[in-house]
């Protein structure tokens, strides 16, 4: 029987060791926080208190050892990007708007390039960082049900509540009890709407996509029309192996291939030519429209490494009642750079690092199906 090796961010969890080993931990001691909400002090002090509070919770102690490691890492990283978002306002107040969203990307970057982390564990941690404040504000959202159904497709809401409670217990603030009550309400709302620790039980992918796209019907509504055409959208960093995957899984004439790289070569446009790339995308979209109008299944082969890139294309496909599958391809960090070096059109290392920093992994809020081809 194969031994299962448990992942951990570090064997030595002493704060002194963490500061010595990681620059992003050292940065925390230099990031101030608003004394009204964080009278305990800077981000380093707060994070240590959060880690202590997390481990003291009975619900945390009842988790598997691996889930404990995931939550501990998320707690360590949850405020990692207050260093880049913290602003001292003219009236002296201290804010850090957007730190959770930016922190998701930084957590992903750290756990991909700096600390070797299995894909499914890395993404759980990144999403916990992204959504760590949601339990405090869910019921103030315009559509709490849509918000929690969307979030539950990306993050374990039971673990999220644990992290949020530790985050609040790790503060000194006058509104602590009110905020803890909000977290209790969040948990009850998740239970009531079948989203506690799991995603809402949609009848099928079409029902999920209809609800997430339209938002004006009940989540139990099931569309009755069948998809008119199948579309596959590739996603992955340069050198990850998208071309190889397409060649192995999507044979012509069953599938048309819309390849931005091939269009660039035919039009003699460099990947670094921004205006030329706009032309390449328009040519590719017209090829896609022809396929969609003629109900011809096709593969869109490009990097599509951000949600915005994919969203624009998916919206076009949904206009034609397409069934959309996103295939995300990933290889280990060192392998990525080795494979990129063997490409005809090598992407410069600084550009690769920038792309990794902006990488957003596709999920089931975006398409009917998401396939992860991860080595």
């Amino acid at each position: 029987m194969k031994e299962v090796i448990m992942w951990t961010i570090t064997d030595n969890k002493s704060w002194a060791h963490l500061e010595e080993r990681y620059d992003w931990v050292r940065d925390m001691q230099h990031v101030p926080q608003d004394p009204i909400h964080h009278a305990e002090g800077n981000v380093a002090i707060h994070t240590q208190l959060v880690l202590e509070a997390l481990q003291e919770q009975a619900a945390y102690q009842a988790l598997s050892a691996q889930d404990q490691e995931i939550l501990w890492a998320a707690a360590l990283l949850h405020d990692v990007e207050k260093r880049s978002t913290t602003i001292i306002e003219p009236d002296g107040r201290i804010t850090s708007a957007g730190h959770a969203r930016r922190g998701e990307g930084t957590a992903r970057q750290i756990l991909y390039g700096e600390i070797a982390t299995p894909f499914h564990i890395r993404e759980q941690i990144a999403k916990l960082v992204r959504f760590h404040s949601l339990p405090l504000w869910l019921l103030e959202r315009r559509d709490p049900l849509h918000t929690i159904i969307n979030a539950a497709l990306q993050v374990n809401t039971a673990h999220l509540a644990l992290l949020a409670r530790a985050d609040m217990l790790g503060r000194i603030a006058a509104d602590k009890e009110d905020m803890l009550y909000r977290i209790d309400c969040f948990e009850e709302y998740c239970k009531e709407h079948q989203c506690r620790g799991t995603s809402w039980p949609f009848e099928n992918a079409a029902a999920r996509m209809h609800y997430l796209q339209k938002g004006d019907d009940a989540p139990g509504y099931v569309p009755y029309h069948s998809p008119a055409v199948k579309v596959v959208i590739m996603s992955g960093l340069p050198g990850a192996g998208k071309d190889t995957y397409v060649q192995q899984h999507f044979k012509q004439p069953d599938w048309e291939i819309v390849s931005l790289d091939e269009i660039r070569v035919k039009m003699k446009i460099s990947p670094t030519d921004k205006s030329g790339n706009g032309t390449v995308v328009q040519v590719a979209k017209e090829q896609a429209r022809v396929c969609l109008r003629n109900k011809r299944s096709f593969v869109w082969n490009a990097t599509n490494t951000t949600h915005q890139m994919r969203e624009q294309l998916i919206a076009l496909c949904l206009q034609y009642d397409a069934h959309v599958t996103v295939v995300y391809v990933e290889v280990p960090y060192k392998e990525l750079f080795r494979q990129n070096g063997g490409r005809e059109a090598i992407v410069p290392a600084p550009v690769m690092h920038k792309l990794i920093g902006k990488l957003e992994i596709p999920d089931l809020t975006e398409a009917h199906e998401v396939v992860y081809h991860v080595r």
Side-chain angles (χ1 to χ4, degrees):
M1 184 176 179
K2 187 177 180 181
E3 181 184 2
V4 177
I5 301 174
M6 188 182 76
W7 174 87
T8 178
I9 194 168
T10 177
D11 290 324
N12 186 341
K13 292 183 170 61
S14 72
W15 193 257
H17 172 77
L18 293 170
E19 284 192 317
E20 180 182 353
R21 185 168 182 180
Y22 304 119
D23 58 355
W24 44 271
V25 175
R26 290 194 296 275
D27 289 344
M28 294 179 187
Q29 64 183 304
H30 304 299
V31 184
Q33 299 187 105
D34 195 298
I36 293 177
H37 300 294
H38 288 278
E40 73 279 2
N42 62 38
V43 172
I45 295 170
H46 167 64
T47 301
Q48 291 175 76
L49 292 173
V50 171
L51 290 168
E52 292 172 8
L54 178 68
Q55 294 172 95
E56 289 171 357
Q57 293 185 70
Y60 173 84
Q61 296 167 8
L63 295 174
S64 69
Q66 186 60 87
D67 282 344
Q68 287 181 357
E69 290 293 322
I70 289 168
L71 264 167
W72 196 94
L76 176 65
L77 285 157
H78 82 285
D79 280 346
V80 68
E81 279 308 331
K82 280 190 173 179
R83 62 182 178 177
S84 65
T85 58
T86 294
I87 296 173
I88 301 178
E89 305 288 353
D91 63 359
R93 296 298 302 275
I94 301 174
T95 61
S96 53
H99 75 278
R101 177 180 287 274
R102 187 171 293 184
E104 174 193 5
T106 297
R108 180 174 292 118
Q109 192 170 5
I110 289 169
L111 298 175
Y112 179 54
E114 186 176 347
I115 303 170
T117 305
F119 174 80
H120 72 286
I121 290 177
R122 182 191 80 205
E123 289 309 306
Q124 288 181 68
I125 295 168
K127 291 300 183 181
L128 284 166
V129 171
R130 163 75 179 276
F131 289 104
H132 74 263
S133 63
L134 179 62
L136 301 178
W137 311 111
L138 174 68
L139 299 182
E140 294 185 7
R141 296 293 179 91
R142 185 182 62 83
D143 189 343
L145 180 58
H146 192 277
T147 299
I148 195 57
I149 286 176
N150 187 298
L153 285 163
Q154 303 175 64
V155 68
N156 183 314
T157 56
H159 293 177
L160 188 62
L162 268 173
L163 178 59
R165 183 166 282 106
D167 189 13
M168 186 49 57
L169 291 171
R171 304 185 193 186
I172 297 175
D175 63 353
K176 179 186 286 190
E177 291 305 319
D178 176 56
M179 292 297 172
L180 288 171
Y181 175 70
R182 291 186 182 205
I183 297 168
D184 291 339
C185 292
F186 170 83
E187 290 195 282
E188 290 304 316
Y189 193 85
C190 289
K191 290 177 185 177
E192 179 183 351
H193 295 286
Q194 305 175 70
C195 288
R196 186 179 186 277
T198 188
S199 57
W200 204 89
F202 286 102
E203 184 72 21
N204 53 39
R208 169 170 40 79
M209 285 298 289
H210 178 88
Y211 177 75
L212 294 175
Q213 294 289 322
K214 304 297 182 181
D216 52 357
D217 289 317
Y221 174 77
V222 180
Y224 290 100
H225 63 277
S226 300
V229 61
K230 292 182 179 181
V231 176
V232 171
I233 296 174
M234 300 301 297
S235 174
L237 293 160
K242 296 183 296 299
D243 290 347
T244 300
Y245 188 93
V246 170
Q247 291 167 8
Q248 292 176 346
H249 294 84
F250 303 106
K251 304 293 185 184
Q252 293 179 321
D254 295 329
W255 293 87
E256 296 288 340
I257 310 299
V258 179
S259 170
L260 271 66
D261 283 346
E262 288 183 7
I263 294 172
R264 284 192 193 95
V265 171
K266 288 179 181 178
M267 299 182 71
K268 298 181 179 179
I269 293 175
S270 168
T272 59
D273 182 348
K274 291 186 178 180
S275 62
N277 279 328
T279 301
V280 170
V281 171
Q282 291 308 311
V283 171
K285 282 187 174 180
E286 186 52 39
Q287 289 183 13
R289 288 189 183 94
V290 171
C291 291
L292 290 165
R293 287 195 292 266
N294 293 324
K295 296 181 173 51
R296 288 281 297 152
S297 296
F298 71 93
V299 179
W300 178 283
N301 188 11
T303 55
N304 295 310
T305 50
T306 68
H307 175 80
Q308 185 177 19
M309 289 178 181
R310 297 186 294 268
E311 184 179 43
Q312 295 174 359
L313 181 57
I314 291 170
L316 169 65
C317 296
L318 293 179
Q319 291 176 14
Y320 291 85
D321 291 328
H323 180 284
V324 181
T325 299
V326 178
V327 176
Y328 174 73
V329 180
E330 181 177 299
V331 293
Y333 182 80
K334 291 181 180 179
E335 180 71 6
L336 178 75
F337 281 88
R338 188 191 68 77
Q339 291 186 180
N340 176 57
R343 284 160 45 98
E344 185 174 337
I346 297 175
V347 178
V351 176
M352 283 291 287
H353 287 296
K354 188 175 181 179
L355 288 170
I356 292 170
K358 293 184 176 181
L359 177 64
E360 295 174 329
I361 307 301
D363 58 61
L364 287 175
T365 65
E366 300 181 42
H368 295 90
E369 182 181 5
V370 179
V371 175
Y372 299 109
H373 183 71
V374 178
R375 289 198 285 116

